[in-house]
Amino acid sequence: MAARPQAADAVLALALLAVGLPELFLSDRSLEEARLFAAPDPRQAVTVVAVTLSLVLRQRYPLTTLWIVLAGEFLLSVWDYVPSIPDLVAFMVAVYSVAAHRALAHSALGGVAALAGFNALMWSFPVHPTLLEFLTNNALLVGVWVLGRNLRMRRAYFTELEDRAARLERARGSDARAARIEERSRIARELHDVVAHHVSVMTVQAGAARRIIDRDPGGAREAMSTIEEVGRTALSEMRRIVGVLRTERDELARGELAPQPGLGDLGGLLDHVRETGLSVQLWIEGEARTPSPGVDVAAFRLIQEALTNTLKHAGPQARAWVRLRYTAEDLTVEIEDDGRGTATIVADSGDKPGHGLVGMYERVALYGGELRIGPRVGGGFGVRARFPLSA
């Protein structure tokens, strides 16, 4: 990569020599020019070639190139040679290179030296320039220097933009990793909900089987079958979620895992709960609408967690109600029971809510909803959540 700019500069220098040297030796000289300047000879040609070929170094060593060009120009002036196209263009390119490839301090030093040397050369010629020629030549030299500085600043600006884009890309990658970590934390909370529900069902069924095993072996075997089925389901869901926690690619996880449950699976959940002996009724009010996948899962998990708490704390002979109320703007989910679980839940949680209640609050808040949890009027416990359905 470093050789390519040097190759381009070598082509530039050779092109200048190919155009300028023949013109130097073949062009007709006026009588005044022949009288004031020395005739072209090999010494001038060698000096012009050396000055022009120094442009090959202009990008890596711009100040060195400028000193070589200035030294060559002074030698040509001392020997009274007429300026030629190659050395004049080489001088302008050297000034541009110092401004474009060096910091401001070195660039300013080179610019001042070039301006002083250029004016000294102009006034050392046998024919002094007019005021207009003096101003025009100096303006041209300053313009070349300013052009180099502007291009350097633009390159620095674009480099900063590229660096900023790279930093933003790295930050975006970090945010994506943080989002994956947060998603895995959410899934870990899902693990608590799923396992807690199924373990509660298994515990209730095991207790029922223990109480009736002597007088009703058939009922006990049925309870054992339920425990086996619920246990298999719990293990299956645990494997799914642990698989998500282990994977490094969300796309692979989505392809390998079964879909998360939603309100469409609510009937199966209520059947499992009824098998434990808890009476649960379901009401659906309003025209059912399809919520977003996230709200669908969140509402299902909320009902699952609330019923799990009812199984744990409501006591025997308790009843529960699940109500889904659809409106044009939102979905309201209510889970209530008439058990004695209010004091038990408060005593178990102390000053801080349990993980299940915290998971409820976080899940509802994630989708911009509202959640109220507390005792019912007349006894029992209630959970009420509102999920917005609009995007």
Side-chain angles (χ1 to χ4, degrees):
M1 297 295 293
R4 292 181 182 178
Q6 291 184 357
D9 293 334
V11 171
L12 171 65
L14 293 176
L16 288 175
L17 293 174
V19 173
L21 284 181
E23 189 273 338
L24 178 65
F25 285 95
L26 298 178
S27 62
D28 295 332
R29 304 173 66 200
S30 64
L31 294 177
E32 182 179 5
E33 183 178 306
R35 180 175 59 83
L36 295 176
F37 295 97
D41 56 19
R43 182 173 65 177
Q44 181 183 10
V46 171
T47 306
V48 170
V49 168
V51 167
T52 306
L53 289 180
S54 68
L55 294 180
V56 176
L57 306 175
R58 72 178 187 89
Q59 296 192 47
R60 294 188 62 184
Y61 308 104
L63 277 174
T64 301
T65 301
L66 180 61
W67 303 142
I68 292 174
V69 172
L70 281 175
E73 291 295 331
F74 274 107
L75 285 177
L76 292 173
S77 175
V78 169
W79 294 331
D80 292 331
Y81 291 121
V82 64
S84 63
I85 293 177
D87 59 272
L88 288 177
V89 174
F91 177 71
M92 292 298 178
V93 172
V95 173
Y96 163 83
S97 301
V98 169
H101 298 288
R102 282 295 177 265
L104 181 59
H106 289 169
S107 177
L109 173 64
V112 171
L115 189 64
F118 181 72
N119 283 279
L121 288 172
M122 277 198 304
W123 292 103
S124 67
F125 288 151
V127 180
H128 297 310
T130 64
L131 178 60
L132 180 61
E133 292 173 339
F134 172 78
L135 295 177
T136 302
N137 291 337
N138 278 274
L140 176 62
L141 182 63
V142 173
V144 169
W145 186 89
V146 171
L147 174 64
R149 287 303 304 169
N150 286 339
L151 290 179
R152 176 179 174 84
M153 292 175 67
R154 286 182 63 84
R155 281 199 303 270
Y157 173 71
F158 286 123
T159 300
E160 176 61 25
L161 286 182
E162 292 176 356
D163 292 342
R164 185 179 303 173
R167 291 195 298 270
L168 288 175
E169 187 65 27
R170 290 193 294 270
R172 189 177 298 112
S174 299
D175 292 342
R177 288 191 294 272
R180 288 197 296 271
I181 293 173
E182 176 61 27
E183 178 66 12
R184 292 173 185 178
S185 298
R186 187 187 67 82
I187 293 173
R189 293 193 296 271
E190 297 280 356
L191 173 62
H192 166 267
D193 298 338
V194 173
V195 174
H197 168 73
H198 290 296
V199 170
S200 296
V201 174
M202 293 166 62
T203 302
V204 172
Q205 290 288 343
R210 179 180 57 80
R211 287 193 298 270
I212 67 175
I213 191 169
D214 293 329
R215 68 175 184 273
D216 188 2
R221 281 194 297 271
E222 183 178 349
M224 292 296 181
S225 298
T226 302
I227 293 173
E228 180 182 6
E229 179 184 352
V230 173
R232 291 180 187 276
T233 303
L235 287 176
S236 176
E237 294 215 21
M238 186 181 297
R239 282 194 296 269
R240 291 172 184 168
I241 297 175
V242 171
V244 172
L245 294 175
R246 287 178 177 174
T247 187
E248 291 295 329
R249 296 179 182 269
D250 295 339
E251 294 77 11
L252 292 178
R254 285 194 295 268
E256 294 172 358
L257 301 182
Q260 289 283 349
L263 293 176
D265 304 297
L266 191 56
L269 173 64
L270 298 184
D271 289 340
H272 276 297
V273 173
R274 292 186 184 109
E275 290 175 359
T276 67
L278 177 65
S279 174
V280 183
Q281 295 181 352
L282 172 65
W283 284 281
I284 299 178
E285 301 177 3
E287 183 179 354
R289 299 177 58 193
T290 302
S292 65
V295 171
D296 197 27
V297 175
F300 178 88
R301 294 303 191 194
L302 182 76
I303 296 171
Q304 185 181 53
E305 176 67 24
L307 292 177
T308 299
N309 288 336
T310 299
L311 286 171
K312 289 180 182 179
H313 306 294
Q317 308 303 320
R319 295 176 299 168
W321 299 270
V322 177
R323 181 179 292 106
L324 303 180
R325 183 183 300 113
Y326 291 91
T327 67
E329 292 81 18
D330 52 38
L331 165 64
T332 301
V333 179
E334 295 182 357
I335 308 96
E336 298 179 329
D337 66 69
D338 59 358
R340 56 173 174 77
T342 303
T344 307
I345 293 176
V346 173
D348 289 348
S349 62
D351 295 333
K352 298 181 180 180
H355 293 292
L357 298 183
V358 171
M360 287 184 183
Y361 279 109
E362 292 180 354
R363 186 176 291 110
V364 174
L366 178 64
Y367 297 100
E370 299 174 357
L371 177 67
R372 288 188 296 180
I373 300 176
R376 292 175 63 241
V377 176
F381 201 76
V383 176
R384 184 180 186 274
R386 185 188 65 83
F387 294 95
L389 293 180
S390 59

